[in-house]
Amino acid sequence: MIAIVRMVVVLSVLCGLSGFALSYLKMITATAIEEQELTYVQGPALKRVFTQAENSPIADRRGFTLASGEKVTVFPIMKGGKLVGVALENFGKGYGGPIGVMVGFNTSDDTLAGVGMTTMKETPGLGMRVADPGFTTQFMNAAAPVSLKNQGGKIDAVSGATISSAGSVEAVNKAAQAYMGLKPEIFKAWAK
Amino acid sequence: MSILQEFTKGLWKELPPFRLVLGLCPTLAVTNSADNGLGMGVAVIFVLVLSNMLISMVRSIIPKTVRIACFIVIAASLVVAVELLMQAYAYPLYQRLGIFVPLIVVNCIILGRAEAFAAKNGVAASIADGLGMGLGFTLSLTFLGSLREIFGNGTWFGHGVMWEGFEPMRIMIQAPGAFICLGLILAAMNMYNYWKAGKGKAVPAPQGGCGSCGCCSLERREDAR
């Protein structure tokens, strides 16, 4: 009996201590990790979406709050001192977890400027192919909301990866919704 | 054994991937370039030294029946810590190593050293053991990664080292290249040990007929016939 109690106590104390230590470590590394993700994940995705930004979208990013209370980070794209586009990231449900998509909008006519995948855990060779240009270029200059061909839209799903394709489309549409909701604020923030 | 011996045994005599042939999953998977091997090795040193230290510190209060669970909790916490630190300070490395960082938890070197050494020895000896084993692992991975990178890509730590017009053997940085390299390294090490033990020397001509030198079992076989 004493042995069992001792077993339970030792294991619980050990797990508790490690839990505390890890949550503390997570807290103190959170800002550094966010910075690194911006540089190595969102940065390259932004470059794929807008090739000729004259500012640094990451340094100029700004946080906004949607009417629903959701927080969104918006990356502005400037050319000649004027706002020509914005990009924002959103997530859709994929096969192996959330699919993060950086969605760019042309501010002149509200069409999509392009999309770039940020984080996802899809199947290599199948779902991962939604990051290929063959799929992503279909979003260029399309009008939101978009939908897959089998839903009556114009986007060709990656064959064998319907769930990943649908997840990407879902992320794009959520981003478009956020963009529409934030449009007045966005224009006010970077109007010069 | 002295502390120094505990440290140096991991460098050659019990070199984890090549002599004990332990921890082959990361050894084969991430060594397609020298800096990937080095990065993985450093992560393993960190986990191994700290897990050996912590386990040897708490070894007297851990009940024998749940010791494996306790070792895994300690190793897993350290691996998550490495993962967080790597994300915070070396994100590109984290992206390249991918799934193999969390898999350090089940790396048999960690659990093997915990069970075979740290659970029975003092703190200082356990740290020395972890450091030696970790360093041996890192050197092995870096060496294997260097070979594969040099022959498969013509570079070493990203710098071109081969002559102009060198045609890289792509297979070396792909999965089969890992097996080929590992096999050749193991063969070379066995040959070296064989030679060092004196068995590789030329056998003097036998005086009293074949088999008298005792080098082979030919005579016995002849007797049996």
Side-chain angles (χ1 to χ4, degrees):
Chain A
M1 189 59 206
I2 290 172
I4 289 180
V5 171
R6 184 155 169 249
M7 217 157 78
V8 171
V9 169
V10 168
L11 206 48
S12 329
V13 168
L14 209 58
C15 291
L17 281 179
S18 80
F20 270 117
L22 286 181
S23 57
Y24 178 70
L25 189 67
K26 192 166 174 90
M27 217 169 66
I28 57 172
T29 51
T31 44
I33 291 176
E34 201 191 331
E35 202 112 306
Q36 296 263 308
E37 276 180 350
L38 281 171
T39 324
Y40 293 106
V41 179
Q42 270 93 338
L46 272 170
K47 285 224 176 69
R48 277 197 292 278
V49 177
F50 289 103
T51 40
Q52 64 266 76
E54 285 172 2
N55 64 331
S56 162
I58 288 179
D60 294 345
R61 70 183 192 274
R62 210 174 284 194
F64 290 93
T65 313
L66 282 176
S68 61
E70 201 186 333
K71 283 197 164 51
V72 190
T73 307
V74 177
F75 303 89
I77 314 296
M78 317 284 255
K79 213 183 274 178
K82 271 171 74 187
L83 186 72
V84 295
V86 294
L88 35 105
E89 191 186 13
N90 221 312
F91 297 89
K93 229 173 92 196
Y95 193 73
I99 299 180
V101 187
M102 182 67 76
V103 190
F105 299 93
N106 297 312
T107 42
S108 53
D109 55 0
D110 297 342
T111 54
L112 299 174
V115 300
M117 305 299 162
T118 51
T119 49
M120 55 177 176
K121 289 183 179 139
E122 300 308 289
T123 319
L126 274 177
M128 276 295 183
R129 278 167 50 213
V130 295
D132 289 354
F135 182 74
T136 54
T137 47
Q138 298 183 81
F139 293 92
M140 251 179 216
N141 301 322
V146 288
S147 56
L148 290 174
K149 268 197 179 146
N150 62 2
Q151 311 274 316
K154 283 188 183 149
I155 307 292
D156 240 335
V158 173
S159 54
T162 319
I163 294 177
S164 309
S165 306
S168 313
V169 168
E170 184 198 340
V172 170
N173 286 336
K174 270 158 88 180
Q177 218 173 6
Y179 166 68
M180 288 304 178
L182 289 172
K183 221 173 126 187
E185 283 181 66
I186 290 173
F187 278 115
K188 222 194 296 167
W190 283 290
K192 257 185 244 165
Chain B
M1 268 210 278
S2 74
I3 298 282
L4 191 69
Q5 274 174 312
E6 300 294 4
F7 173 70
T8 52
K9 73 168 191 281
L11 297 182
W12 179 263
K13 219 172 86 210
E14 292 180 24
L15 189 62
F18 297 150
R19 294 229 60 91
L20 301 181
V21 201
L22 274 185
L24 283 191
C25 170
T27 307
L28 294 170
V30 303
T31 52
N32 49 11
S33 74
D35 57 347
N36 279 4
L38 186 65
M40 184 72 196
V42 171
V44 169
I45 292 185
F46 179 88
V47 175
L48 191 54
V49 170
L50 287 177
S51 85
N52 263 10
M53 184 184 88
L54 291 174
I55 287 167
S56 118
M57 271 157 66
V58 298
R59 69 184 192 279
S60 53
I61 58 164
I62 290 179
K64 223 172 164 39
T65 37
V66 290
R67 68 185 190 286
I68 301 285
C70 293
F71 298 164
I72 289 286
V73 168
I74 291 174
S77 314
L78 289 166
V79 168
V80 176
V82 168
E83 214 183 335
L84 285 172
L85 291 172
M86 211 182 255
Q87 277 185 62
Y89 302 108
Y91 203 87
L93 183 70
Y94 171 76
Q95 280 176 314
R96 282 200 307 269
L97 295 180
I99 184 74
F100 293 100
V101 179
L103 277 182
I104 297 176
V105 180
V106 287
N107 190 320
C108 33
I109 299 174
I110 311 283
L111 198 60
R113 291 334 285 172
E115 171 79 4
F117 197 90
K120 296 171 192 150
N121 289 281
V123 176
S126 297
I127 292 176
D129 174 79
L131 210 55
M133 287 284 167
L135 207 59
F137 185 75
T138 307
L139 291 176
S140 312
L141 255 65
T142 313
F143 180 65
L144 188 57
S146 303
L147 276 188
R148 291 179 64 191
E149 195 186 338
I150 288 170
F151 290 112
N153 206 23
T155 57
W156 191 54
F157 284 103
H159 303 290
V161 288
M162 293 309 244
W163 60 90
E164 195 79 8
F166 168 75
E167 194 63 48
M169 296 176 266
R170 286 280 163 223
I171 193 170
M172 292 304 266
I173 52 171
Q174 286 159 1
F179 286 96
I180 294 171
C181 269
L182 181 74
L184 290 177
I185 291 172
L186 290 182
M189 287 183 74
N190 280 348
M191 212 157 107
Y192 173 77
N193 281 349
Y194 189 70
W195 170 79
K196 215 175 121 202
K199 286 179 189 159
K201 283 188 203 133
V203 183
Q207 303 274 306
C210 183
S212 63
C213 66
C215 282
C216 62
S217 54
L218 265 180
E219 194 176 37
R220 248 177 293 134
R221 242 181 275 157
E222 272 166 18
D223 287 347
R225 230 187 279 152

